[in-house]
Amino acid sequence: MGLSGGLDSIVLLHLLAALRQRRPFMLRAIHVHHGLSAHADEWAQFAVDRAASLGVACHIERVSLAPFLKQGIEGAAREARYEVFARQACDVLLLAQHRDDQAETVLLNLLRGSGLRGLAAMPEYRCLNEQVGILRPLLDISRAELAKYAAEQGLAWVEDESNLDSRYDRNFLRNEIFPALRTVWPSANATLARVAEHAAEADELLQELATADFALCVKEGVFDLSVDLSLLRLRNVLRFWLTQQGLQLDARAFEELIRIALFAAIDAQPALVWRDRAIRRYRQGLYITAARQAVFTDVPMSWQSEMRLASGVLAWREAAVGIDINRLQQGRLELRNRMGGESLRLRADGPRRSLKQLYQEAAVPPWLRLNTPLVYLDGALAAVPGLGIDAAFRAGDGQQAFAPHWLSG
């Protein structure tokens, strides 16, 4: 469990220690030392001593906020804490946020313009990573109830003086806004906590719909815009797809993506660059690529099953149609850039055709054409990943054949 030494976590520690006596389980505490207060060392020792008095080991983890300061002090402290939590070797990490914390989070996210996910605030349980889950068992309990329990049990806790500093957003809501709200709406905290529950249900429903639409729209990482969906469902599944790819666009960027996806000319090749990634449209497909495409340079190479280059990997896989392994190993192999005017004869009885025509027919996006190396063998174009093998270089019956596959990267 996370043990700051404040009221909430001290109550949770006390409850868990009592529960452990009735139903034994392994319990330990982690105290994250942010180093922000002159009293931080005292708080850390208090947490260790209080946990020890209940037979619980408490480890102190000192963190630096420097890597996260772009998010402000509050955000940096949170990121540093959760980075520590993610490293813990446990099945579940319990945190002591309560109903008042939930209400503050709902209002804070509302004022930031968050959608349903933000209004759902903190879930009672969520997976932090593949190993650790986070459980918040006190979310339905108010701070006043926790304070009453602590008084009845004679519990001591520390008070963080920074909680009184209303320059921080959350403290401003807690110290200035919520007291005023409760003079008119006494149950404001409970009401906002219910908003979080409703928003969580609605968001879960949207996620289920997005999962179903994702299966229809996304094939091999490409988003198919030709699937017949309403605009609302399209927006929903696009957000889902972007999240799966680790992209969180702000509202303005997302609206630009909608414009690119739906309203740009059909023969245009628009792109939305977001930090180090780009979302590119080609025909009726959306592709996510690096913002800056790696430049391929010509290079002679000895044949290997995987040929690693600065701009990607050329992998050779055994195939029914390919180049004889002996020819690959014994010939002079080169990987070259496309210069223009190259052609392939894909069938022995067929004509030579330009790479431009073949790329267009195969619907290969333009940026992949420029980034894909051409395979030359003994000075002649032998194969192009994604298009095929020139007929003059195809392996014969009984020969072990390999075909090239380009993994840009």
Side-chain angles (χ1 to χ4, degrees):
M1 64 160 292
L3 182 62
S4 67
L7 167 66
D8 322 330
S9 64
I10 288 295
V11 168
L12 180 58
L13 174 67
H14 191 265
L15 290 170
L16 290 173
L19 179 62
R20 188 178 59 167
Q21 291 181 342
R22 297 197 298 272
R23 300 185 62 180
F25 57 90
M26 186 179 295
L27 175 64
R28 60 186 177 86
I30 179 80
H31 175 88
V32 181
H33 188 306
H34 300 95
L36 292 174
S37 170
H39 304 292
D41 290 338
E42 297 172 28
W43 297 341
Q45 191 58 52
F46 174 85
V48 170
D49 293 344
R50 186 62 192 139
S53 72
L54 295 171
V56 177
C58 179
H59 172 68
I60 300 172
E61 184 84 24
R62 295 175 182 269
V63 297
S64 169
L65 305 191
F68 313 106
L69 284 178
K70 288 183 179 180
Q71 303 178 50
I73 293 296
E74 287 180 295
R78 182 185 184 281
E79 286 298 317
R81 263 196 316 278
Y82 277 81
E83 190 175 81
V84 170
F85 294 160
R87 297 199 302 267
Q88 300 311 301
C90 60
D91 297 316
V92 65
L93 180 79
L94 288 91
L95 299 179
Q97 285 104 342
H98 48 72
R99 190 168 65 199
D100 294 13
D101 293 324
Q102 184 77 313
E104 292 166 6
T105 303
V106 171
L107 188 53
L108 195 61
N109 287 344
L110 178 65
L111 293 171
R112 289 170 174 166
S114 298
L116 282 174
R117 183 71 54 85
L119 294 183
M122 296 177 287
E124 184 176 34
Y125 177 83
R126 74 176 176 92
C127 293
L128 183 58
N129 54 38
E130 292 182 357
Q131 287 78 39
V132 182
I134 287 182
L135 178 64
R136 299 180 174 91
L138 305 182
L139 273 186
D140 288 334
I141 302 174
S142 69
R143 189 181 192 281
E145 292 174 289
L146 297 180
K148 180 181 177 183
Y149 176 88
E152 291 171 350
Q153 299 296 321
L155 303 180
W157 63 87
V158 299
E159 292 286 359
D160 183 348
E161 72 278 1
S162 72
N163 288 336
L164 300 177
D165 187 348
S166 292
R167 289 177 299 175
Y168 299 122
D169 292 348
R170 186 176 288 272
N171 289 348
F172 179 74
L173 291 180
R174 180 182 302 149
N175 301 331
E176 309 292 336
I177 301 302
F178 273 98
L181 284 176
R182 285 192 291 268
T183 62
V184 181
W185 297 284
S187 60
N189 288 43
T191 300
L192 285 170
R194 282 202 305 277
V195 168
E197 293 175 6
H198 297 324
E201 287 185 5
D203 183 63
E204 186 173 345
L205 180 61
L206 287 178
Q207 293 304 301
E208 287 185 11
L209 181 61
T211 300
D213 288 342
F214 180 88
L216 297 174
C217 294
V218 181
K219 304 297 181 186
E220 298 182 355
V222 180
F223 193 101
D224 183 359
L225 293 168
S226 69
V227 177
D228 187 18
L229 294 178
S230 69
L231 179 58
L232 289 177
R233 283 177 63 178
L234 177 64
R235 293 171 67 92
N236 185 51
V237 71
L238 268 176
R239 288 193 184 95
F240 183 85
W241 175 59
L242 294 172
T243 300
Q244 296 294 309
Q245 299 296 318
L247 285 168
Q248 298 284 347
L249 305 188
D250 62 23
R252 182 178 299 178
F254 186 75
E255 293 306 323
E256 176 62 13
L257 175 61
I258 292 295
R259 187 195 68 77
I260 284 174
L262 300 184
F263 304 115
I266 195 65
D267 57 348
Q269 298 166 18
L272 172 69
V273 175
W274 182 255
R275 297 173 184 161
D276 61 344
R277 311 280 287 282
I279 307 162
R280 306 177 189 273
R281 202 195 83 184
Y282 176 63
R283 297 184 179 177
Q284 288 290 82
L286 291 178
Y287 300 75
I288 295 176
T289 73
R292 297 183 63 183
Q293 293 293 291
V295 177
F296 175 77
T297 54
D298 296 357
V299 57
M301 300 189 75
S302 298
W303 185 85
Q304 301 173 48
S305 59
E306 282 196 356
M307 305 167 77
R308 296 187 174 274
L309 307 170
S311 53
V313 176
L314 187 68
W316 291 85
R317 298 173 185 163
E318 196 163 358
V321 177
I323 302 174
D324 176 29
I325 181 66
N326 294 318
R327 196 169 184 181
L328 286 170
Q329 292 174 334
Q330 296 168 12
R332 189 177 79 256
L333 190 65
E334 296 173 274
L335 304 182
R336 297 184 187 175
N337 237 326
R338 184 181 173 206
M339 302 299 293
E342 298 89 350
S343 62
L344 280 178
R345 177 180 286 113
L346 295 178
R347 298 196 323 272
D349 59 349
R352 298 197 69 83
R353 303 184 65 197
S354 71
L355 295 195
K356 180 178 180 179
Q357 289 177 306
L358 294 172
Y359 273 133
Q360 289 175 340
E361 290 178 5
V364 176
W367 59 90
L368 289 182
R369 304 175 197 177
L370 295 174
N371 179 251
T372 301
L374 310 184
V375 179
Y376 280 74
L377 195 56
D378 296 329
L381 180 60
V384 178
L387 293 184
I389 311 294
D390 191 275
F393 290 88
R394 283 193 181 186
D397 293 341
Q399 293 179 321
Q400 189 179 15
F402 283 80
H405 298 265
W406 176 244
L407 307 173
S408 180

